[in-house]
Amino acid sequence: TVCWAGGASVDADYAVRLGSLGMAGPTGCSNCECYKGKDCTVLLTVHGLSEEQAARSRVQILESGSSCAEANLSTADLSPLSSERRQDGGVGTEFVLGVVKSGVAHASYKICWGAGQDASDGSAYTY
């Protein structure tokens, strides 16, 4: 629920209900485990996006010390794994990243998701 107040000083001042707020995006990861020498597929549950929006969504795999949306991301070196590939859509979005050939086993890599932005050359994405 979204509420409004003019000159509010305490929470109880927000007495005018404006409406509801919906949040679109990923809600969880049902398959977030990859094994060296095997295909790595990440399946995210994504809600509230059109098929077109879901088609632009991407993931990035980061080193454990990095955080999503940082200016200088430290992407994981799991070569030749591709960290930005969307395979299909619907409620679940499947990212087939490829075969993991390097990286540290048992490391806590981070998965960042971005809805993507419209760009005339298709190169702009937000993570």
Side-chain angles (χ1 to χ4, degrees), residues 81-103:
L81 181 136
S82 168
S83 66
E84 300 178 4
R85 185 170 167 202
R86 182 188 172 276
Q87 199 62 22
D88 67 12
V91 173
T93 300
E94 183 177 0
F95 297 90
V96 178
L97 303 175
V99 177
V100 179
K101 292 193 176 177
S102 61

Side-chain angles (χ1 to χ4, degrees), residues 58-75:
R58 301 286 186 266
V59 294
Q60 242 183 2
I61 312 299
L62 304 180
E63 294 290 344
S64 60
S66 197
S67 295
C68 299
E70 282 184 346
N72 297 311
L73 293 175
S74 178
T75 56

